Amino acid sequence: MKACGIVILILLGWCLTARCQLIADMGMARDWCDRSMLQAMEGIWEFPADETKVLVKQSSSSTRCYDLIVIETPDTRLIPGEIIGTLSESVVSTKFELDLCRNRVKGILSNPGKCMAQYLADEDALVISERKLKISLSPRWLLPSFWRSIRVNLKRPANELPKGMVRIYPTSKPRKIDYL
């Protein structure tokens, strides 16, 4: 009887580890991409600004939602294999809602920031558009009329560069079929 219970526990543990496989490094992520039938957005993506690589994998809870799983990062606060956000499809096939966790409370990622991500097929990239709030109060109305006519405007081109993710594996080029 005890032997039967031990065998059942071993089989149960084996089934659970096979079902909840943790993907925590680049080799495992590439292997998963090679073995799986990938959806349109699934694959390995990189945030070029901070050199973080994530696996975009369809969520187990919804077919219209993808999880962003950390694979490699120079940021020591992020743990490989950890889900840092979600990517949800919208009505338009090239636009997505991106939720990225911004804080860690008691070891758990929280406070997701919502933004819009647009897929650019030509560059195989997701461009993230942040929420913008612009408030301007002009004290010029206090000045005499001559000084109200002068305006100084400073633009920083580096601030206008698009932010987002670039797909690094697999590339969007169609795979060649090798016939034996």
Side-chain angles (χ1 to χ4, degrees):
M1 187 70 174
K2 288 182 182 180
C4 182
I6 293 173
V7 169
I8 290 174
L9 286 175
I10 290 172
L11 288 175
L12 181 64
W14 180 67
C15 290
L16 287 176
T17 56
R19 185 176 273 272
C20 303
Q21 181 184 9
L22 179 68
I23 301 172
D25 68 357
M26 184 63 82
M28 292 172 75
R30 282 182 183 258
D31 184 48
W32 181 85
C33 289
D34 291 338
R35 286 186 291 111
S36 302
M37 292 291 295
L38 299 178
Q39 300 296 321
M41 298 309 297
E42 289 183 317
I44 300 171
W45 295 74
E46 179 181 20
F47 288 97
D50 60 357
E51 300 175 3
T52 298
K53 294 176 180 66
V54 295
L55 173 67
V56 176
K57 180 180 176 184
Q58 189 169 23
S59 177
S60 58
S61 61
S62 172
T63 58
R64 299 181 53 90
C65 188
Y66 300 93
D67 291 331
L68 276 67
I69 304 168
V70 176
I71 298 171
E72 289 180 359
T73 181
D75 189 353
T76 58
R77 296 172 293 176
L78 297 176
I79 302 166
E82 190 171 45
I83 297 174
I84 60 167
T86 59
L87 187 68
S88 304
E89 293 180 3
S90 70
V91 179
V92 180
S93 64
T94 59
K95 294 189 179 185
F96 298 86
E97 181 180 338
L98 179 65
D99 298 332
L100 282 176
C101 295
R102 298 182 285 186
N103 295 338
R104 186 180 293 272
V105 177
K106 296 183 181 179
I108 298 172
L109 289 171
S110 62
N111 192 14
K114 294 185 182 286
C115 54
M116 197 243 341
Q118 183 173 4
Y119 178 65
L120 303 176
D122 301 344
E123 288 85 17
D124 209 10
L126 271 173
V127 177
I128 298 172
S129 301
E130 299 172 352
R131 189 174 15 176
K132 294 180 182 177
L133 175 64
K134 186 177 181 180
I135 298 175
S136 61
L137 298 172
S138 179
R140 294 184 306 158
W141 62 274
L142 296 173
L143 300 172
S145 63
F146 171 75
W147 292 107
R148 282 190 224 165
S149 64
I150 296 175
R151 231 178 234 192
V152 176
N153 197 1
L154 176 65
K155 285 192 175 186
R156 296 186 177 137
N159 291 345
E160 296 175 12
L161 286 174
K163 295 173 178 62
M165 300 188 300
V166 178
R167 186 191 316 251
I168 57 173
Y169 188 82
T171 57
S172 63
K173 298 173 188 170
R175 296 181 182 178
K176 289 199 266 182
I177 299 173
D178 295 331
Y179 295 102
L180 300 175

